[in-house]
Amino acid sequence: MILSLPADGQTTLPVPPNRLVGREQDCTALAKLLEDQHTRLVTLTGPGGVGKTHLSLELGATVASRFPDGVVFVSLSSIQDPELVLPAIAQALGLRETAGQPLVHLIRDAITGQDMLIVIDNFEQVMQAGPHIGVVLATTRTPKFLVTSRSPLRLRMEREYPVRPLPLPPPLLASTTGSLEDNAAVALFVERAQAARPSFALTDTNAAAIVEICRRLDGLPLAIELAAAMTRVLSPHALLARMEHRLSLLIAGATDLPDRQRTLRDTIAWSHDLLTTEEQMVFRRLAVFVGDASLDAIEAVAGDPGAASGSTTAIQKIDVLSVVSSLVNKSLIVQMEDGDSTESSMDAPRFRMLATIQEFATEQLEASGEVEAVRQLHLDWLIRFAEKAEPQLTGPDQAQWLVWLDAEHDNIRAALTWAQAHCHQEGMRLASMLWRYWATHGLLTEGHTWLCRFLDSPAHAEESVRAKAFSSLGNLSLDLGDYHAASEAYQEALDAWERLGHTRGIADALNGQGLVDWYRGDYDSARRRHERSLELRRSIGDRFGQGNSLTNLGNAVKDSGDPVAARELHQQALAIRQSLGHRVGVGYSYLNLGHVARRLGDVAEARAMFSKCLDTFQDIGDTLGVGYALHGLGLADMLSGDARQAGVNFLGALEIRLGLGDRRGVVESIEGIASVAASLGQPPVAATLFGATSALREQIGAPLPAPDRPRHEKLVESVRRSLPLAAFSSSWKTGTGLSLPEAADLALSAAREVTSAPEQPASMLSGREVEVLQLVAAGMTNAQVAEQLFLSRRTVDAHLRRIYDKLDLSSRAEAIRFAMDGGFV
């Protein structure tokens, strides 16, 4: 289940943009609190701008060495929906969903026994998710949680720690300039002012003004930083004069807000009022972005003043770059440093607002009357971006476009949320275009959920839009191993496309139905559907679709028992995909050709194809494809007699497929590990795993392909013969009662055990490799060895290359010497 929990002592904490000032005592007290064995949850509470996030990062870094399993940071700044809290925590932990297992249980099981600290930031906007944290706390003894929130979570195990503003400096009459340097509020102001203007210094001349500024701002760090940033253009005395004027004119915020929060609001408002009209417009429209935004996205939303104002008068477009640069200089937005955020579309720089400032900008946007129009511009930008990305996700630049989509993921979530209530059809269009992104990144459930929300809504959408949404839903359901749901979705899509007379859509839906038939083992129906799909795609010149139909038809033909004909179909598909630069398709063609070679008994060719497949998918970052490639290599290893290496590959495939929620793939990899256990002297484990996969295949409706059944049955029979009948029956029965997660856990443990044992050089060779080495040492040529062992010359060549690699040999002579010294001859 776990892909990448932090390594020993490793943290995933972001690096704060600057030094934490004045929180030494807080850090000491909190570190002591976390040391207490009875402390499970500490919540840092306080108003916006008091520095809770910065303190949590400093504390996490300080105590990291005390948590051998690492410190994990979970940012909820971009999360508004409580339902997305658990996915965010799982993602930060490096977990991937397992079909049929609630996320709260997945997280609980993954962190049980982990001596780690989980830092969750900005919980106040998703307080309804607090009970989920309570469930984890109540059912585990580890790890510890550190949460930042404007209010406590109200959980029984919670220890609230209020974060206070910085201590105020005494009036200047009661102090000296020298002693002021020890005051945290003054020190913060001076340090940030020097960042804005390096020549700035605390002097007898400006000390009184600085003290008064810090006192007026009640020691709130964010307010002090905002004021200090203005020293680029204003002296402390000028700052104070403007603050006095501003505060005297602006009545403090809502009366039910704390005084300090109203003061912070005034401080931000004061900074806002110093902006030009254009700067104010861009500032408030930036509030629509979640997390950070690229410059081109900001230009799309804020570059045209009339786009959201409803004005019909021609208005000159804004120089967004200049305005954004000005807002950065005035510390109202932050430019992301390298490593803070993934670069977005076209490698443009990215910018974000601090949470408290964004709240103020949101108020300004709502007051402007532009909010609906600006959100529409935001959605329109993402639709255009997805339209560009969709075809690229199957092309040579797939890896880069996945990175760019990652950068916009939080904005996509926000746009889809808004679209559900305000712009149903456009939201459905956006979700439909993203299915391959979600599938490739293992976000199958999230994509499935969005599409279901739009399709289940009574809101109107054009039939063509609904047809594509059903097709995308079918694709995600197929990858989740829910063949019934996939079949229903593809049928809905097919009916709609037929009503519309849309040939490409009909071909796509038939292709999906053919894949469902193939996974269910109905190869005749699969062939008919793929042949019809191929015919339609050829009629409209859809070469991309032809490549898919040829490869899917090839798989159906292969599993019908004709691997030679299948090889020809896959070679045709490969040629088309290579000509189109369809790298994902090329990877799958290599995979399919590997399985054909495996069926034909050409292990060397199978290994070569699976290796090319793995290289291709690793290069473009296609996790699903990597899982397929590793499993193929494991099958090739088993055929060549290298069960230990097969275990390594099956283990890697299983971990990936668990993360993706690919139920059929998980079962397939468990079967592979069962065969490894049988080969390496663990028949009880093998019997249990085979019993589990037998029951699980029936549950998910994915039978073993017919050509693989004889070998599988022979292997199960060998396990049965190696155990007393009662022992075999008991192990098999135990397996049939395991759930998918339980069977996967057993398989993971078994694979890790057999692959972690140290090997001696000679024991690293498979049985077949030992035979080859013995015959070579006896003086035979490769051709003679092939004839003696009834193998092809290429297979013998491949065996010999692996012998050289495993034994670190470089020549035939060295291999003969090793065989003689090791008693092989």
Side-chain angles (χ1 to χ4, degrees):
M1 294 177 207
I2 304 173
L3 289 186
S4 57
L5 281 176
D8 291 351
Q10 180 181 348
T11 77
T12 63
L13 295 171
V15 178
N18 42 52
R19 187 175 70 92
L20 183 66
V21 176
R23 297 298 187 188
E24 294 81 3
Q25 291 183 350
D26 290 318
C27 279
T28 300
L30 285 164
K32 186 175 181 180
L33 187 59
L34 288 173
E35 285 180 356
D36 187 339
Q37 62 177 343
H38 301 296
T39 300
R40 295 293 312 286
L41 166 64
V42 176
T43 303
L44 307 183
T45 60
V50 79
K52 302 183 294 293
T53 298
H54 201 163
L55 177 58
S56 72
L57 297 177
E58 183 73 17
L59 177 63
T62 300
V63 303
S65 61
R66 305 177 193 176
F67 293 91
D69 293 317
V71 179
V72 175
F73 184 78
V74 184
S75 174
L76 302 183
S77 61
S78 64
I79 304 295
Q80 301 291 332
D81 185 350
E83 293 182 10
L84 295 178
V85 171
L86 289 179
I89 294 173
Q91 185 176 12
L93 287 168
L95 302 176
R96 301 281 191 168
E97 294 178 64
T98 300
Q101 184 178 24
L103 262 181
V104 68
H105 295 164
L106 173 67
I107 293 169
R108 177 201 64 194
D109 294 344
I111 65 177
T112 296
Q114 296 286 325
D115 190 1
M116 62 164 46
L117 176 66
I118 300 175
V119 182
I120 307 179
D121 191 39
N122 288 117
F123 208 97
E124 63 271 4
Q125 53 201 7
V126 286
M127 293 299 288
Q128 299 94 321
H132 294 314
I133 305 300
V135 170
V136 176
L137 288 168
T139 54
T140 63
R141 300 184 66 180
T142 57
K144 295 180 185 288
F145 286 80
L146 177 67
V147 174
T148 74
S149 176
R150 295 190 186 177
S151 59
L153 277 58
R154 306 298 182 191
L155 299 175
R156 285 184 302 166
M157 297 186 189
E158 184 178 32
R159 300 284 296 273
E160 182 181 359
Y161 188 94
V163 181
R164 310 295 184 188
L166 297 174
L168 298 180
L172 192 58
L173 293 176
S175 63
T176 65
T177 302
S179 64
L180 285 177
E181 294 176 347
D182 296 328
N183 176 264
V186 172
L188 178 62
F189 183 95
V190 172
E191 181 170 302
R192 300 299 188 263
Q194 288 173 340
R197 186 158 60 90
S199 62
F200 186 89
L202 176 66
T203 67
D204 291 339
T205 303
N206 63 23
I210 293 172
V211 166
E212 190 60 22
I213 289 170
C214 292
R215 292 178 65 84
R216 292 284 184 91
L217 298 179
D218 266 347
L220 281 171
L222 178 57
I224 292 171
E225 292 187 7
L226 285 171
M230 296 305 296
T231 58
R232 290 187 181 94
V233 293
L234 297 173
S235 69
H237 288 95
L239 272 173
L240 182 59
R242 286 178 176 266
M243 286 184 67
E244 288 173 341
H245 178 66
R246 181 71 182 96
L247 293 175
S248 67
L249 292 176
L250 179 64
I251 299 174
T255 57
D256 60 347
L257 288 172
D259 289 342
R260 295 186 181 97
Q261 196 166 353
R262 285 186 281 157
T263 303
L264 176 60
R265 186 183 304 276
D266 289 346
T267 303
I268 299 173
W270 160 68
S271 298
H272 170 265
D273 287 352
L274 293 176
L275 301 177
T276 66
T277 301
E278 287 187 346
E279 289 172 342
Q280 288 182 355
M281 192 213 72
V282 174
F283 173 78
R284 66 176 177 265
R285 292 189 183 184
L286 274 167
V288 77
F289 292 101
V290 182
D292 48 74
S294 64
L295 184 61
D296 48 346
I298 298 171
E299 287 175 333
V301 172
D304 184 352
S309 65
S311 172
T312 58
T313 304
I315 303 175
Q316 185 176 359
K317 289 194 174 182
I318 292 174
D319 182 354
V320 172
L321 177 59
S322 296
V323 174
V324 168
S325 297
S326 177
L327 293 175
V328 170
N329 289 335
K330 294 171 182 175
S331 296
L332 286 171
I333 63 174
V334 178
Q335 181 172 354
M336 307 299 290
E337 299 292 335
D338 291 343
D340 288 346
S341 175
T342 303
E343 287 287 336
S344 172
S345 57
M346 317 319 159
D347 292 326
R350 297 186 70 82
F351 304 88
R352 68 178 177 87
M353 285 181 168
L354 299 178
T356 308
I357 294 176
Q358 185 160 18
E359 287 181 12
F360 181 87
T362 300
E363 292 176 0
Q364 299 303 304
L365 180 61
E366 292 172 348
S368 72
E370 296 179 343
V371 61
E372 297 300 319
V374 170
R375 288 199 174 277
Q376 183 67 59
L377 290 171
H378 182 245
L379 175 61
D380 291 345
W381 145 251
L382 286 166
I383 289 175
R384 292 195 300 273
F385 187 75
E387 286 173 340
K388 294 178 183 177
E390 186 179 23
Q392 301 297 331
L393 293 181
T394 55
D397 297 324
Q398 184 206 38
Q400 183 60 72
W401 278 91
L402 289 172
V403 170
W404 289 336
L405 280 166
D406 279 342
E408 304 300 343
H409 194 183
D410 289 332
N411 281 301
I412 289 168
R413 285 169 167 166
L416 290 173
T417 299
W418 180 79
Q420 288 179 92
H422 298 87
C423 205
H424 177 80
Q425 178 164 292
E426 284 82 352
M428 188 182 291
R429 283 184 61 208
L430 178 59
S432 299
M433 290 186 286
L434 294 169
W435 78 265
R436 196 179 296 276
Y437 164 72
W438 282 318
T440 302
H441 271 6
L443 302 170
L444 300 171
T445 299
E446 179 174 344
H448 187 275
T449 299
W450 283 121
L451 285 164
C452 285
R453 286 178 179 177
F454 284 108
L455 287 167
D456 291 344
S457 170
H460 172 74
E462 294 175 5
E463 188 160 40
S464 61
V465 177
R466 288 182 61 82
K468 181 167 183 178
F470 273 118
S471 182
S472 296
L473 180 63
N475 295 334
L476 290 170
S477 299
L478 188 72
D479 284 339
L480 282 167
D482 189 344
Y483 303 129
H484 177 73
S487 180
E488 287 189 337
Y490 287 136
Q491 187 61 52
E492 290 278 2
L494 179 61
D495 292 343
W497 290 128
E498 286 180 335
R499 286 191 294 269
L500 293 167
H502 193 286
T503 304
R504 188 186 299 271
I506 294 170
D508 289 345
L510 287 169
N511 181 75
Q513 289 182 324
L515 287 170
V516 172
D517 290 336
W518 178 56
Y519 281 125
R520 285 173 165 172
D522 189 348
Y523 305 127
D524 289 340
S525 179
R527 290 181 67 166
R528 289 193 299 270
R529 294 187 196 273
H530 288 310
E531 285 169 349
R532 176 59 179 152
S533 178
L534 178 60
E535 178 185 346
L536 291 172
R537 285 166 164 172
R538 281 174 170 163
S539 73
I540 59 175
D542 178 10
R543 285 178 55 75
F544 178 88
Q546 290 173 45
N548 287 345
S549 288
L550 284 166
T551 200
N552 293 332
L553 178 59
N555 284 332
V557 168
K558 174 197 67 179
D559 289 338
S560 297
D562 191 350
V564 175
R567 180 170 57 192
E568 174 61 26
L569 290 167
H570 285 308
Q571 287 172 341
Q572 292 178 37
L574 176 61
I576 290 175
R577 289 167 164 179
Q578 287 175 329
S579 70
L580 295 174
H582 180 195
R583 297 179 69 196
V584 175
V586 167
Y588 279 107
S589 287
Y590 287 144
L591 177 76
N592 294 321
L593 286 167
H595 283 301
V596 168
R598 180 173 63 86
R599 290 277 171 81
L600 291 170
D602 192 340
V603 180
E605 178 67 11
R607 186 183 301 280
M609 289 295 103
F610 290 138
S611 295
K612 283 186 175 183
C613 172
L614 180 62
D615 290 343
T616 301
F617 285 132
Q618 286 180 331
D619 187 45
I620 60 180
D622 190 321
T623 308
L624 183 67
V626 170
Y628 277 111
L630 288 173
H631 186 82
L633 284 169
L635 293 174
D637 292 329
M638 288 300 297
L639 286 177
S640 65
D642 193 346
R644 191 178 299 278
Q645 183 58 41
V648 173
N649 286 317
F650 287 140
L651 173 61
L654 178 57
E655 289 174 333
I656 288 173
R657 288 165 157 184
L658 277 169
L660 294 174
D662 176 7
R663 295 187 296 172
R664 184 203 59 80
V666 167
V667 173
E668 186 178 71
S669 293
I670 293 173
E671 280 175 342
I673 292 171
S675 67
V676 170
S679 298
L680 296 180
Q682 295 186 354
V685 173
T688 302
L689 292 178
F690 279 136
T693 57
S694 174
L696 290 168
R697 279 194 177 276
E698 184 174 352
Q699 289 175 22
I700 66 175
L704 192 70
D708 289 331
R709 291 172 195 166
R711 183 177 183 279
H712 176 81
E713 291 167 357
K714 183 178 179 180
L715 189 57
V716 172
E717 177 61 20
S718 71
V719 173
R720 189 195 65 77
R721 290 198 306 268
S722 66
L723 289 171
L725 181 59
F728 176 82
S729 299
S730 176
S731 295
W732 184 276
K733 184 177 180 180
T734 298
T736 61
L738 296 178
S739 66
L740 185 65
E742 290 170 337
D745 281 343
L746 177 60
L748 288 170
S749 298
R752 287 167 181 157
E753 181 178 345
V754 300
T755 58
S756 62
E759 295 180 283
Q760 298 301 318
S763 66
M764 293 169 64
L765 301 181
S766 68
R768 179 66 79 186
E769 287 166 352
V770 169
E771 290 179 317
V772 169
L773 180 60
Q774 288 173 330
L775 295 176
V776 167
M780 289 188 179
T781 65
N782 287 12
Q784 291 171 328
V785 172
E787 183 179 358
Q788 178 74 21
L789 297 178
F790 302 99
L791 300 174
S792 71
R793 169 65 183 272
R794 283 193 302 171
T795 300
V796 172
D797 293 343
H799 279 310
L800 200 55
R801 284 196 301 273
R802 284 198 299 278
I803 291 171
Y804 288 174
D805 290 341
K806 289 181 178 182
L807 303 180
D808 195 23
L809 305 174
S810 59
S811 68
R812 195 180 193 87
E814 288 184 4
I816 294 172
R817 172 59 60 187
F818 177 89
M820 296 176 65
D821 292 344
F824 286 87
V825 291

